[in-house]
Amino acid sequence: MPVKNIIFDLGGVIIDIEPERSLNAFAPYLNGYSEQNIYQHRLFHELETGRITASDFRNQLRAALNISMDDTMIDECMFAMLGEIPEERIRLLEKMKQRYKTILLSNTNVIHYDACSRYLQKAHGTPSFDTYFHKTYYSHLVGLRKPDVRIFELVLRENALVPEETLYLDDTGEHLKSARTLGIITVKVTPENSVVNILKDY
C-alpha cells in the first residue's frame, strides 16, 4: 500500500538534541547522586506523562536528590540538551503536510515544550508545532509515553489511520519496535540518515 500518513518524532528527528549536555549541566549539583543518568529518576517519567506539574517536579527533584538549585537553574539544565531546527526541516514539514496527513508524536514535558515553543516563535515566527502538522501528540498532555503501544493505538484510532499506509520516523529503536507490532512502517532516523534524506523521494 502507498504511504498516506507520516508520524514524526520530535527530538532527534525534527529538533536536534544532545541529552549529554543536560547530564553534564546537572552533574556539578548532584552531590554524589548514585544514578549515572539522572533521567532514569522516576520524576522525569512522571513529568513526561503529566502526572506532576513543573513546579512539583522541581520541588520534588530538589528533595529527592538533596540539591541546591533554584527553578531557573533546573530549567537551564533541562534546556541544555535542546538544539536547533534547521530551516530545511521546516520547509520539509510544510511540503509533507500538503501531500500527506502528518502527525507529531513526542515524548516530552512541559518544561521542554515551553522552551521549544519559544524557540519556534523566535527562530521561525510560529508559536507552536501545530502549524506544521495536522495533529500533535505530546506525552505530558496525553498521559502516555513511547514505547507504550497504547500511545500508537491512540494516534491510529483518533486519526483513522491504516497502519500499513502509515510511516513512522523516530531515532529510538525501542519506539520503532512498538510501532511495528501494530503494522506501522518504520524508519530509523540517524545522524547519517536524516529525516530530510529519508523523505527526499516522498
Side-chain angles (χ1 to χ4, degrees):
M1 294 184 182
V3 169
K4 297 181 180 178
N5 322 293
I6 304 177
I7 304 174
F8 294 81
D9 179 32
L10 179 57
V13 174
I14 296 170
I15 185 169
D16 294 329
I17 59 169
E18 291 186 38
E20 296 80 9
R21 293 196 306 216
S22 282
L23 295 178
N24 292 337
F26 270 117
Y29 306 100
L30 296 186
N31 300 321
Y33 176 62
S34 59
E35 288 193 50
Q36 182 178 1
N37 187 342
I38 188 175
Y39 285 104
Q40 298 305 312
H41 196 282
R42 64 172 178 80
L43 291 173
F44 288 85
H45 182 278
E46 293 178 5
L47 185 66
E48 277 201 347
T49 51
R51 296 176 185 173
I52 57 176
T53 66
S55 179
D56 288 340
F57 166 77
R58 298 182 190 103
N59 290 333
Q60 291 182 40
L61 188 69
R62 278 188 284 262
L65 304 186
N66 190 28
I67 54 178
S68 299
M69 301 175 69
D70 62 25
D71 290 357
T72 299
M73 293 165 69
I74 291 174
D75 287 357
E76 287 177 351
C77 289
M78 297 281 284
F79 299 157
M81 71 163 60
L82 301 176
E84 298 182 345
I85 304 175
E87 187 69 26
E88 65 175 348
R89 291 182 203 159
I90 294 294
R91 301 287 81 82
L92 174 70
L93 295 177
E94 292 173 340
K95 290 178 181 178
M96 292 298 103
K97 187 178 179 182
Q98 294 174 4
R99 303 176 187 179
Y100 302 88
K101 179 178 284 188
T102 58
I103 294 170
L104 179 67
L105 175 58
S106 175
N107 281 357
T108 191
N109 58 71
V110 65
I111 297 173
H112 281 161
Y113 175 84
D114 290 346
C116 288
S117 296
R118 290 192 298 270
Y119 168 82
L120 270 181
Q121 183 64 59
K122 182 178 180 180
H124 300 287
T126 52
S128 76
F129 286 104
D130 293 349
T131 302
Y132 305 112
F133 300 94
H134 292 99
K135 193 74 178 288
T136 56
Y137 290 85
Y138 301 99
S139 61
H140 70 290
L141 298 179
V142 175
L144 297 167
R145 69 191 294 275
K146 301 174 287 186
D148 190 330
V149 72
R150 291 177 297 171
I151 198 168
F152 294 101
E153 291 173 336
L154 176 69
V155 172
L156 292 175
R157 182 175 64 253
E158 289 193 349
N159 297 279
L161 306 183
V162 176
E164 294 78 10
E165 296 177 345
T166 304
L167 175 64
Y168 175 51
L169 304 173
D170 199 307
D171 64 331
T172 303
E174 191 177 10
H175 301 168
L176 296 167
K177 182 178 179 180
S178 287
R180 285 196 298 272
T181 66
L182 299 175
I184 297 171
I185 304 163
T186 65
V187 177
K188 187 172 185 178
V189 177
T190 67
E192 298 75 28
N193 195 28
S194 71
V195 64
V196 173
N197 182 61
I198 292 168
L199 294 179
K200 64 183 179 182
D201 294 329
Y202 284 80

